[in-house]
Amino acid sequence: MPNNRINIQEQFGQEVMDLVRDFALREVTPRAAMPLQDFPHIANAELKEVLSDTLYGARWLYKLGLALFVQSPLINAHVRAQVIDYGAICEAILGDMVAQGIRLHGMRGDVYLSKLDPGGRIGATLDWTRDIEATLKKQNFFWLIRVARNEGMLDEDLKRRLDELRTHRNTVHLMEKARTDTNYVVNLSRRAFNTLLKTIEQTKAWQRDMNRRAARNRR
């Protein structure tokens, strides 16, 4: 009899876990579809897979929080993890777009030619004739947003939203989190996700246009 009770308890527990898992994955894009659906414009194949893994995990976390009705102060940790991931994905997308633009001679602005200080003032000239990835790795999210806006990858509203997301993403550094006293509520996760969707949409459009221009130049 005791063994039967244990088995029933284990079965009940597993069924509850299955229900929570199924709810958390409902309406989340399947992981296998993400490289083609969300990141077809990413040139770096390894990065495309990492972005897909990260987005899938962030969406699962969001739905899991709804399923478990996570409340403060746990909601802060739950939402903060999603916001940081969404910010990191946006930063990586912009980095890949800049790298493609430089390789295909598709850059039309001038901001990418120089470093920027924290106030946005122009600094030393950047050398893009050698290792593009190494030079790009030294630039930050702030620089990427301004280059992307200068190139027309983003509209002004998305630039502002990305700067907001960048500020929240920087709370990965706990001193910055303490300084800003950011309150991570569910709406902040939704806004960050919408910013990511807009970033994907607008960079896809920019890349298509850039590729068309590069093809015309090769004729």
Side-chain angles (χ1 to χ4, degrees):
M1 187 69 176
N3 286 338
N4 289 338
R5 184 167 63 248
I6 291 173
N7 289 336
I8 291 171
Q9 289 172 342
E10 288 178 347
Q11 182 180 352
F12 176 75
Q14 185 61 53
E15 289 184 4
V16 170
M17 290 173 63
D18 289 344
L19 285 172
V20 171
R21 182 201 61 207
D22 292 345
F23 175 83
L25 291 177
R26 195 182 305 159
E27 298 175 3
V28 173
T29 302
R31 164 62 182 83
M34 284 183 170
L36 288 177
Q37 176 173 308
D38 298 298
F39 306 113
H41 58 318
I42 299 299
N44 184 315
E46 291 79 12
L47 177 60
K48 185 180 297 191
E49 294 302 316
V50 171
L51 293 179
S52 299
D53 284 343
T54 305
L55 178 55
Y56 188 69
R59 295 307 293 155
W60 181 79
L61 271 179
Y62 173 72
K63 292 297 296 293
L64 188 62
L66 295 180
L68 298 178
F69 197 58
V70 176
Q71 296 186 9
S72 185
L74 294 178
I75 192 66
N76 270 274
H78 187 77
V79 172
R80 181 168 170 262
Q82 296 164 48
V83 170
I84 288 171
D85 276 349
Y86 292 145
I89 293 170
C90 289
E91 182 176 16
I93 290 172
L94 296 185
D96 191 81
M97 293 299 102
V98 172
Q100 289 187 53
I102 293 172
R103 287 196 184 95
L104 294 175
H105 306 288
M107 304 293 274
R108 296 186 292 184
D110 57 2
V111 174
Y112 81 100
L113 297 172
S114 305
K115 294 181 179 180
L116 295 176
D117 71 13
R121 290 179 292 272
I122 296 174
T125 299
L126 294 169
D127 181 6
W128 295 109
T129 63
R130 298 182 181 180
D131 190 336
I132 292 174
E133 294 296 337
T135 303
L136 192 57
K137 189 176 180 180
K138 296 176 184 177
Q139 314 316 311
N140 57 24
F141 200 2
F142 176 90
W143 182 91
L144 285 167
I145 294 170
R146 273 132 194 87
V147 169
R149 179 66 186 115
N150 182 246
E151 295 294 329
M153 295 181 200
L154 321 170
D155 61 28
E156 189 61 28
D157 177 65
L158 182 52
K159 173 187 173 292
R160 286 192 294 268
R161 292 176 65 118
L162 281 168
D163 270 329
E164 176 187 282
L165 181 55
R166 176 179 60 85
T167 300
H168 294 316
R169 195 288 307 268
N170 285 348
T171 60
V172 67
H173 306 292
L174 295 183
M175 290 292 287
E176 182 67 13
K177 183 177 186 298
R179 185 186 70 80
T180 58
D181 192 29
T182 303
N183 185 24
Y184 287 93
V185 295
V186 172
N187 283 343
L188 187 59
S189 174
R190 295 194 188 105
R191 182 169 176 81
F193 180 57
N194 286 334
T195 297
L196 170 59
L197 293 181
K198 287 180 179 293
T199 301
I200 290 172
E201 177 188 355
Q202 293 188 23
T203 53
K204 279 180 179 178
W206 179 84
Q207 193 231 30
R208 286 194 298 269
D209 180 63
M210 188 268 297
N211 282 337
R212 284 194 293 266
R213 287 187 281 109
R216 286 196 300 267
N217 293 336
R218 289 193 296 267
R219 292 174 186 169

